[in-house]
Amino acid sequence: MRINAWIWPGLASAAALAALVIGLVLVDRAGEAAIARQQAATAAAARDYFMAFAREEGARALATALNRRARISAQDGFRYALEDAQGRMIAGSDVISSLDAPDEGWRTVVEPDTRPRRLWRVLAQPLGGGLTLVVAEDLGARDALRRAVFQESALAVLITGLGAAVGGFGLNAMLLRRTRAIADTAARIADGDLSARAPVGGRRDVFDDLAADLNRMLARIEELMTGMRTVTDSIAHDLRSPLTRMKGALVRAGDSAAPEPVRLAALDEANTAADSVLATLNALLDIARAESGLSREMMQRLDLGALALEMTELFGPACEDAGQRLLCEVPAEPIVAWGHPALLRQAVGNLLHNAATHAGPGAMVHLIVREADGGRARIAVADDGPGVPAEHLGRVRERFVRLEAARSGPGSGLGLALAAACAKLHGGELILADNEPGLLAALEIAVRPRT
């Protein structure tokens, strides 16, 4: 069962309002009890005062004082009177004469002939000589004060509840708007629109951060999906030729009427085509493992200078055979990085192989290791050959991309793609630039391991 998103803020608002109402009732009861205690204490204090006054000044003076107070008509809710032994009022407030006062102590009585009914809390205190002091509190005045406080408090609770409800529904509307935008983006992605991106505002709040992270993830997914389609198309295109040659060679080798030398040559051709296909597939597998991070468990600390010297010794003869010179420059202090030894050797070997293949006779090839900015190290291969046109520097690192000048020679167009994937695995990038003349290809990798 799907619950409407607006139910939650409604339930939260109702719960908050209920809590406020319960709190208001509790405060009202506590306030009523406090007022009752305060009024009882006031009545007892007035009784004690008038008793002391009567002892010191006499009953006549007390009667005069009570009459004077009755004429003032105090608004504190209390009335005072002096009665004789027969219950007749001698002095004080006229209203007390109609009340059925007790002989002594407290009693709650009803004032007769009043609509609505009017209650009084009466305290009687004998003074001696047949006289009784009567202190009466108008409970209606107390109730009026209580109602006023309760009404103002209820109004405050209502305003608070409305404010909380408006804020809650407003916040809910904002959250729904932001989350629905992200959900709509996910739905578009699910429908096949890999270019869909979540909107990022200028607030830099948690939703903008979430949308930005989601967009980076979507960009990465689109990149991988696009790369997968490109690889699929490229594999179908680039493997068609060697597989076709292999099939033709196997057909010729299987021809029993063909001379033995022809059949053996056909088998050699088929074997060469098979090696080409396997090399291409292995290179694609290495690139996929590097780009997906599956090779990260093979990372270890290694000396980049020692690795460069090893690769120089390995590729020196190949450069000499191509009529070139290979020089290696490493710093005096070792540059130790966290890397994948086999993959780094393969990437550097690809760069050196490209230089040996395309720089041409008489070229000077430099393998340089040095520190770079931002906690990185650089392994660069620079030559002074014909180089790569500036408009193609961004393309040659893609899979299966081979320029026209290189299409007549062997190769699959995966060397620079593997080097770029290796750099990415190591938290860096492959940089291609004009060496003026020639090509500069540099692997910039992070020295410390990625967390």
Side-chain angles (χ1 to χ4, degrees):
M1 181 181 65
R2 182 178 180 182
I3 300 178
N4 191 293
W6 293 101
I7 289 180
W8 299 116
L11 291 177
S13 300
L17 185 59
L20 289 173
V21 170
I22 293 174
L24 176 62
V25 172
L26 294 176
V27 169
D28 177 64
R29 291 184 177 180
E32 171 62 17
I35 292 174
R37 290 192 298 270
Q38 179 63 36
Q39 295 296 81
T42 301
R47 175 199 62 190
D48 296 341
Y49 170 78
F50 287 125
M51 288 176 63
F53 187 89
R55 286 194 298 267
E56 295 177 3
E57 303 294 335
R60 185 179 297 276
L62 176 58
T64 302
L66 292 178
N67 286 330
R68 185 182 303 114
R69 186 174 182 85
R71 289 193 297 268
I72 295 175
S73 299
Q75 300 299 317
D76 57 0
F78 284 94
R79 302 292 187 270
Y80 307 93
L82 188 63
E83 295 181 347
D84 59 16
Q86 286 72 37
R88 293 188 298 266
M89 193 182 74
I90 299 174
S93 177
D94 293 336
V95 70
I96 295 180
S97 63
S98 63
L99 302 178
D100 184 14
D103 295 334
E104 185 177 356
W106 289 96
R107 177 186 293 175
T108 300
V109 300
V110 179
E111 182 180 352
D113 301 327
T114 55
R115 293 292 185 273
R117 189 176 65 166
R118 190 175 182 184
L119 295 179
W120 292 81
R121 180 77 167 158
V122 180
L123 171 62
Q125 178 63 51
L127 298 178
L131 298 178
T132 299
L133 173 66
V134 180
V135 180
E137 178 195 359
D138 184 2
L139 296 182
R142 184 196 298 185
D143 291 340
L145 174 62
R146 178 186 176 188
R147 284 194 301 272
V149 173
F150 185 85
Q151 288 172 358
E152 295 299 325
S153 300
L155 180 60
V157 167
L158 179 61
I159 293 175
T160 303
L162 290 176
V166 171
F169 279 98
L171 177 62
N172 186 69
M174 185 272 289
L175 294 177
L176 287 178
R177 184 176 67 253
R178 302 297 296 275
T179 54
R180 279 172 179 164
I182 296 176
D184 290 342
T185 302
R188 291 172 56 192
I189 292 290
D191 291 337
D193 183 8
L194 297 181
S195 64
R197 296 293 181 269
V200 179
R203 302 181 183 89
R204 300 305 304 166
D205 55 15
V206 64
F207 287 100
D208 284 342
D209 293 340
L210 175 62
D213 292 339
L214 179 64
N215 288 342
R216 283 193 291 271
M217 179 188 70
L218 293 176
R220 177 61 174 158
I221 291 174
E222 183 180 17
E223 177 186 350
L224 292 175
M225 294 296 293
T226 303
M228 183 182 298
R229 285 197 293 264
T230 302
V231 168
T232 303
D233 295 342
S234 300
I235 288 177
H237 179 271
D238 285 64
L239 294 188
R240 182 182 294 113
S241 295
L243 290 175
T244 301
R245 289 196 301 270
M246 184 189 305
K247 181 179 180 180
L250 291 174
V251 170
R252 292 194 301 274
D255 186 1
S256 58
E260 187 69 17
V262 173
R263 297 175 64 184
L264 292 177
L267 288 175
D268 287 340
E269 183 180 351
N271 185 62
T272 301
D275 289 340
S276 175
V277 171
L278 288 175
T280 299
L281 292 177
N282 287 332
L284 287 173
L285 180 60
D286 291 337
I287 292 173
R289 290 179 58 84
E291 288 185 340
S292 62
L294 295 178
S295 301
R296 194 166 287 123
E297 70 274 7
M298 304 295 293
M299 302 280 244
Q300 63 185 47
R301 294 175 63 83
L302 54 89
D303 183 354
L304 297 182
L307 184 145
L309 292 173
E310 176 187 343
M311 300 306 296
T312 301
E313 183 178 355
L314 181 63
F315 277 84
C319 290
E320 290 181 3
D321 292 342
Q324 304 167 352
R325 292 184 60 193
L326 174 59
L327 300 179
C328 182
E329 300 177 21
V330 298
E333 295 294 329
I335 299 179
V336 180
W338 192 263
H340 189 299
L343 199 57
L344 277 174
R345 289 187 181 94
Q346 188 172 358
V348 175
N350 287 347
L351 299 183
L352 290 172
H353 176 76
N354 284 346
T357 302
H358 303 297
M364 182 71 71
V365 180
H366 291 266
L367 176 57
I368 306 169
V369 177
R370 64 178 179 83
E371 293 184 350
D373 297 333
R376 291 183 173 186
R378 168 178 281 210
I379 307 174
V381 175
D383 64 68
D384 54 3
V388 175
E391 63 271 17
H392 296 306
L393 286 176
R395 293 183 55 243
V396 292
R397 73 188 73 197
E398 298 175 4
R399 297 181 181 93
F400 299 109
V401 172
R402 303 179 67 192
L403 302 182
E404 291 298 328
R407 286 191 176 276
S408 58
S412 60
L414 294 173
L416 291 179
L418 177 60
C422 174
K424 188 173 184 179
L425 175 68
H426 289 80
E429 59 181 332
L430 172 65
I431 299 175
L432 301 178
D434 188 353
N435 196 41
E436 298 179 352
L439 176 66
L440 171 65
L443 286 170
E444 285 200 354
I445 63 174
V447 175
R448 292 184 175 82
R450 298 175 66 184
T451 57

